[in-house]
Amino acid sequence: MRLPRSLQTLLGGDVTFRHAAWLCVLAAAALSILGIYIIDLGVSPNIPGVETPPADALLVTKQTLFLFVGLFAAAMASLPHYRHIRLLAWPAMLVVIALLVFLLLPGVPSSIVTPRNGARAWINLGPLDFQPGEVAKIAVVLVLADFFRYRSNHRTLTGLLPPTLITFVPVGLITLEPDLGTALLFVPCLFAMLVCAGARSKHLGAIVLIATLAGPLAYPVLKPHQQQRIVGLINMIQGNPEGADDINYQSLTAVRLAGAGGLSGLSDEKSRAVVHFNRLPERHNDMIFAVIVNRFGLLGGLGVMGLYALWMLGALLTAARCKDPFGRLIVVGFTVIIASQMYINIGMNLALLPIIGLTLPFVSYGGSSMLTVWLMTGLIFGVGLRPPARLSRPSFEFDDK
């Protein structure tokens, strides 16, 4: 299909609309629309005599607005060639670090940085809140992709130190908020990008072994409520009822709601009533997957995971087709972040992992989250738009000899 000259100029020359990144767009759209419906189900019981609080009634309208903003941002991100996006990597990282430091400044008024559940993670912009930790995901991936582009020193053990330090500057700031859930996502992202960039498996294996052995040493550093979450999960696994009305209330309620959905789920009316009377905290946010399974059952939950698998398939096919090192790495980085976040959130909802405050991508309520995941999708779509140059060599092929 021949494009108008003006559009060719805007997109940067040779483009194709036959690429696998369309799967990402379709899956993301389906998940986002599902999320709006489930948010409405969770906050609108439709029970005679029961009124929805005005603040809850606005959630659906806001989420719909967030979706349109995310779609627009994705379209804008896909227009310039992804090689030009590289020029924004380090400036974006500096801005993100400045915002993360701003969140931690003790003199900032609580009207601007309002702590929620003990975390200083949001900047109050009036009708909306902005979470710099979400945008940090994109900045870190862009910077790491730019760093690895034409390097090979990361194939030495000492060469792994610079990318680790780059990653752990924002990770340390996010951990201090504290937002352990978001901070954890950067670790598998860094690991996957190192693998894609050709780091030696023996070096990565040694790091994983050291981290695994040192993991228990991090327990005393955790906040008291984070330690309680881990202890509560162990109690549930052991069948200990301790904490059922306290630290484990949210987990047990989520499991109960998910189990009530059975194989094929409850009707819309019954599901609204069950969710309302069970009083699941954060049912429109972190625990939204339990509401999905309550409404659509086990089959619905598997269907949602299938949509994520479709998104990841489209992204990985796009990465495999791209021979440019920067383009391939940003796709891999974004894919691992989405996959890790989905896995942890579903594990939280099914009481397989401790609750650490992490949203379900595209589905959970939140403007910063919706903007971030759609920006990722738009950047992946931009990589898919540009076919690899003829006779270009594959990226990150090294001769071990």
Side-chain angles (χ1 to χ4, degrees), residues 268-283:
D268 178 271
E269 181 180 5
K270 187 173 183 179
S271 182
R272 289 176 186 271
V274 169
V275 171
H276 172 74
F277 286 113
N278 275 272
R279 304 290 183 184
L280 174 65
E282 301 295 335
R283 58 189 179 277

Side-chain angles (χ1 to χ4, degrees), residues 109-285:
S110 58
S111 60
I112 298 176
V113 178
T114 306
R116 296 181 184 175
N117 298 324
R120 296 171 58 90
W122 293 269
I123 298 175
N124 186 2
L125 301 179
L128 303 173
D129 292 324
F130 176 65
Q131 188 175 3
E134 287 288 335
V135 185
K137 301 171 187 176
I138 296 178
V140 168
V141 169
L142 293 179
V143 166
L144 288 177
D146 180 57
F147 180 84
F148 288 133
R149 211 166 39 113
Y150 294 121
R151 295 176 184 265
S152 59
N153 58 338
H154 58 275
R155 289 175 56 77
T156 66
L157 193 58
T158 56
L160 296 177
L161 185 60
T164 302
L165 292 176
I166 290 172
T167 304
F168 277 86
V169 170
V171 166
L173 293 171
I174 293 172
T175 303
L176 290 175
E177 292 177 359
D179 185 0
L180 183 60
T182 300
L184 286 175
L185 296 176
F186 293 89
V187 177
C189 173
L190 172 63
F191 187 85
M193 293 181 74
L194 282 168
V195 172
C196 182
R200 295 179 184 272
S201 57
K202 61 181 181 181
H203 296 158
L204 296 177
I207 292 174
V208 171
L209 179 61
I210 293 172
T212 302
L213 295 176
L217 300 178
Y219 182 81
V221 183
L222 297 177
K223 299 289 184 180
H225 72 276
Q226 295 169 339
Q227 295 178 350
Q228 290 174 6
R229 290 290 187 187
I230 296 175
V231 173
L233 178 64
I234 294 174
N235 286 338
M236 283 195 299
I237 294 174
Q238 295 176 343
N240 187 342
E242 184 179 351
D245 296 324
D246 184 18
I247 194 66
N248 285 339
Y249 172 79
Q250 191 174 15
S251 294
L252 292 173
T253 304
V255 171
R256 185 166 59 247
L257 282 175
L263 181 63
S264 57
L266 306 178
S267 66
D268 178 271
E269 181 180 5
K270 187 173 183 179
S271 182
R272 289 176 186 271
V274 169
V275 171
H276 172 74
F277 286 113
N278 275 272
R279 304 290 183 184
L280 174 65
E282 301 295 335
R283 58 189 179 277
H284 63 288
N285 203 305

Side-chain angles (χ1 to χ4, degrees), residues 75-126:
M76 293 299 100
S78 67
L79 290 179
H81 199 293
Y82 56 86
R83 291 175 184 169
H84 301 323
I85 301 292
R86 184 179 63 83
L87 302 176
L88 301 175
W90 286 98
M93 178 67 114
L94 293 176
V95 170
V96 164
I97 290 176
L99 290 173
L100 292 174
V101 171
F102 176 76
L103 288 171
L104 300 174
L105 294 177
V108 178
S110 58
S111 60
I112 298 176
V113 178
T114 306
R116 296 181 184 175
N117 298 324
R120 296 171 58 90
W122 293 269
I123 298 175
N124 186 2
L125 301 179

Side-chain angles (χ1 to χ4, degrees), residues 286-365:
D286 300 349
M287 313 309 290
I288 198 169
F289 185 76
V291 182
I292 293 174
V293 179
N294 179 268
R295 173 64 180 89
F296 296 108
L298 173 62
L299 296 178
L302 292 175
V304 169
M305 289 187 277
L307 288 173
Y308 283 110
L310 185 66
W311 191 96
M312 288 181 273
L313 174 63
L316 292 176
L317 289 175
T318 301
R321 176 172 169 268
C322 180
K323 295 183 180 180
D324 179 84
F326 180 77
R328 175 175 290 186
L329 282 174
I330 63 174
V331 175
V332 169
F334 294 153
T335 304
V336 173
I337 285 178
I338 294 293
S340 301
Q341 191 166 339
M342 179 270 297
Y343 170 79
I344 294 174
N345 180 273
I346 292 178
M348 286 165 34
N349 277 256
L350 301 180
L352 300 175
L353 294 173
I355 296 176
I356 54 176
L358 209 56
T359 58
L360 188 61
F362 300 104
V363 181
S364 294
Y365 174 82

Side-chain angles (χ1 to χ4, degrees), residues 36-54:
I36 292 173
Y37 167 67
I38 294 298
I39 291 170
D40 178 69
L41 185 146
V43 301
S44 302
N46 290 346
I47 299 173
V50 177
E51 294 185 2
T52 301

Side-chain angles (χ1 to χ4, degrees), residues 1-17 79-81 84 386:
M1 180 177 65
R2 189 172 184 81
L3 299 175
R5 185 179 298 275
S6 59
L7 186 56
Q8 282 186 337
T9 302
L10 180 63
L11 294 177
D14 188 24
V15 297
T16 177
F17 284 93
L79 290 179
H81 199 293
H84 301 323
R386 280 83 189 182

